[in-house]
Amino acid sequence: MFARKLRPEEFWQARRAMAVAFEGVFEQEKELEKAKTDKAEPNEDLYGASHAEGGPLAASIVINNKTSRFDGHTVKMGGVGGVATLPAERRGGAIRACMELALREMYDNGFALSHLYPFSTAYYRQFGFASAGQSVRWTVKLPDLKRLPQAGGRVRQLMPGDDLSPLLDVYNRMYGDTNFSCLRKVFDKDLEGDKPLANRRWVFLWEDETGVPGGFLVGSRVKEALHCVPEFSSTDGLLFTSPRALIGLLKFVHSAFIANFQEIQFCVPGHMDLICLLPEVSGMDCRAALNGMARAVNVEALLKLCLCKGTGQLTLDVTDSILPENNGRFLLDFAPGRENRVERLAKTGSPADVELDVGNLAVLLGGARDTASIGMTPDIRVNNTSGLEQVFYRKPCHVLDLF
C-alpha cells in the first residue's frame, strides 16, 4: 500500500470512502463539482492509501490538529477520525499505511499526543493506542429531582443572536485543569445563528446573582428524554463549574420540563462523582463509557512536562511499533520547582523500573489511570515499585471534543 497526505482535489475520495464505510449518502457528480473549489483546512489533514502510488483510494483517515492541556502545559494533539476503508479493501493494510504516515508527520511536526474514539479497542491497540479515561452517563427521572435544594441564581435561554461567549467561559473553567481536553476558540460553532432552533436544540445558561455564568445545558428531544449527551449525531451537553451551578440547572429542568419529558440524560467526566450530590439515586441509571484511546506521539516531550510528586527518579523502557524515536530506556528525574530532566540510557545492567508501551504511558501520565490499574494491565511490567506513585496517579483527564 502507498500512503500519502491528500491534496484538496482528492478530498472527495476520502468523503466517498467515509460515506461507503459508514453507510452514508454520496452523490458523486456533486462531489466532483465541489472538488474544483475544495481547499485545505488549517486544522485538518487527510491521509489516504492506494495500491498504486497516486492511485484511487482504498482507505482514508482524518487527523484533527488540536491543542490540548497536559499537566499545566499545552501540547499539540492529533485527533484521529474518519477512519474508513472501502469494504473490498479491508484487511489489506490500507489503514496501517495511513496511520503510520500520519503518526510520522505528527512526530516531525511537534505533536506530543494522539487520541481517538474506537469502534474496537483491540483494533487500535496495534497502532499503540490504549484505553484512556471514562465518561459517566446519567439517566435521571425528572420527579427524582424534586428534592434538590434551591440554588438561587437564574436560568435564561440563549436565542439566535445572543452572546455565546459565556459557554466558552464555562467550558474553560470546567476543563481548565483537565488533561487531554482541547483548547477551543468558540464552544460550538453549530450553536451559532438559527442552527439550534432549526435542529430543535435548546441552550439554557445558569448565572449566579451577580450575573456570572456558572453552567449551561444544550439539549434536544430523544423520545421522552431531554438529551444532554455529547455524541457524534448530536453534540448536546451539560457543563458546570460548581455543584451549585449543576443543582441550579437540574432544578430548572425539573420545574420547566416536568410536563414535557420523563427523564434527563447527561454525561460528566469520570473523575466527577455525583452520588452524594443527587438526593435520590436509587432509581437513577449511572453507566461508565470509554472516553476514547490515547497514545504518546513524543515520549520525551511528555516525560519532560508531566507533573510528578516530590523528588525522585524513575527509569522506563518504552516501546513503539511505529515511531522508533520513542523506543528505548528513559531516565525521568523530577523535583519541585523545575522542569523534569529526561535522559536516554543504554539498556544494560538492571532492568528498568517499569516496561510499557506508548499507549499505556500516555494514559498513566495523563492521569486517566494510576498505579493500582497496572496490576490489571498485562502488557505493563513493573520491576521496581519505588517512585511509581509519584509519577502515575489519578488526575482530571477527559476529552469533550469529538472527531
Side-chain angles (χ1 to χ4, degrees):
M1 281 290 175
F2 294 86
R4 63 185 184 273
K5 181 183 285 189
L6 301 183
R7 303 183 304 275
E9 60 269 25
E10 297 177 295
F11 289 174
W12 70 272
Q13 291 191 57
R15 292 193 290 267
R16 182 174 66 182
M18 285 186 276
V20 173
F22 305 138
E23 301 179 15
V25 176
F26 186 83
E27 299 177 83
Q28 184 148 318
E29 289 186 7
K30 291 183 179 179
E31 289 290 340
L32 289 173
E33 187 64 29
K34 182 182 177 182
K36 297 177 183 178
T37 57
D38 263 336
K39 295 181 180 179
E41 293 289 337
N43 297 319
E44 186 178 272
D45 292 311
L46 279 71
Y47 295 85
S50 55
H51 289 284
E53 193 168 0
L57 297 187
S60 63
I61 66 173
V62 180
I63 302 298
N64 298 271
N65 301 321
K66 301 283 187 177
T67 301
S68 67
R69 300 176 176 93
F70 180 77
D71 281 358
H73 307 275
T74 57
V75 298
K76 295 171 74 172
M77 186 263 279
V80 182
V83 179
T85 308
L86 295 175
E89 303 290 353
R90 288 172 182 166
R91 298 176 179 83
I95 291 300
R96 172 167 288 278
C98 291
M99 195 73 77
E100 288 178 351
L101 177 59
L103 287 167
R104 165 50 54 197
E105 295 205 349
M106 277 190 255
Y107 183 92
D108 291 344
N109 290 322
F111 282 67
L113 282 166
S114 184
H115 196 276
L116 55 80
Y117 297 97
F119 76 94
S120 163
T121 54
Y123 178 80
Y124 285 105
R125 283 290 298 154
Q126 66 181 310
F127 305 120
F129 289 85
S131 299
Q134 294 182 339
S135 295
V136 180
R137 180 167 179 160
W138 287 85
T139 300
V140 183
K141 302 295 183 184
L142 292 200
D144 287 339
L145 298 174
K146 182 179 180 179
R147 294 184 178 87
L148 282 169
Q150 295 297 328
R154 68 161 185 158
V155 173
R156 60 186 178 93
Q157 185 171 4
L158 299 185
M159 294 293 192
D162 287 346
D163 179 18
L164 298 178
S165 62
L167 308 187
L168 181 63
D169 175 62
V170 169
Y171 169 76
N172 285 333
R173 288 159 59 201
M174 180 176 179
Y175 280 88
D177 64 348
T178 302
N179 281 349
F180 296 1
S181 66
C182 299
L183 275 64
R184 298 184 178 188
K185 294 182 179 179
V186 297
F187 176 72
D188 183 353
K189 64 181 181 181
D190 286 335
L191 298 179
E192 298 173 354
D194 295 329
K195 292 179 182 178
L197 292 184
N199 294 324
R200 295 191 290 275
R201 300 172 74 201
W202 312 285
V203 184
F204 296 98
L205 178 71
W206 181 88
E207 300 169 323
D208 68 14
E209 290 78 4
T210 64
V212 175
F216 67 88
L217 71 81
V218 180
S220 59
R221 177 181 287 278
V222 175
K223 297 181 179 179
E224 297 304 314
L226 177 60
H227 181 270
C228 302
V229 178
E231 296 176 322
F232 285 102
S233 58
S234 181
T235 53
D236 297 332
L238 192 157
L239 278 72
F240 50 92
T241 60
S242 68
R244 185 185 175 206
L246 174 59
I247 292 171
L249 285 168
L250 294 178
K251 194 74 174 177
F252 161 76
V253 168
H254 175 265
S255 63
F257 292 117
I258 189 68
N260 301 87
F261 298 98
Q262 294 181 3
E263 61 192 29
I264 179 173
Q265 299 172 352
F266 63 94
C267 278
V268 297
H271 58 268
M272 291 187 174
D273 187 353
L274 306 185
I275 291 292
C276 295
L277 181 141
L278 297 169
E280 178 55 71
V281 297
S282 60
M284 298 181 186
D285 183 60
C286 174
R287 300 183 182 182
L290 180 66
N291 185 232
M293 301 179 76
R295 65 126 53 219
V297 174
N298 189 316
V299 166
E300 192 166 346
L302 290 185
L303 290 174
K304 285 181 178 178
L305 297 177
C306 69
L307 183 61
C308 304
K309 295 180 178 180
T311 301
Q313 291 185 337
L314 190 71
T315 57
L316 309 95
D317 277 354
V318 183
T319 56
D320 188 334
S321 64
I322 294 177
L323 297 171
E325 293 91 337
N326 288 327
N327 286 309
R329 180 165 296 177
F330 297 84
L331 171 64
L332 171 63
D333 183 287
F334 51 91
R338 64 165 171 82
E339 184 180 82
N340 299 334
R341 295 169 184 155
V342 180
E343 181 183 353
R344 288 180 177 268
L345 303 176
K347 284 190 176 183
T348 57
S350 302
D353 296 327
V354 60
E355 302 170 28
L356 73 178
D357 70 359
V358 286
N360 286 309
L361 178 70
V363 299
L364 284 167
L365 290 180
R369 304 208 305 264
D370 58 17
T371 54
S373 72
I374 292 177
M376 302 296 287
T377 312
D379 47 353
I380 298 179
R381 180 174 180 178
V382 175
N383 301 307
N384 180 11
T385 60
S386 177
L388 279 184
E389 293 185 352
Q390 293 176 270
V391 179
F392 303 141
Y393 58 94
R394 288 277 186 182
K395 307 167 189 174
C397 184
H398 194 260
V399 183
L400 191 65
D401 289 52
L402 299 172
F403 30 77

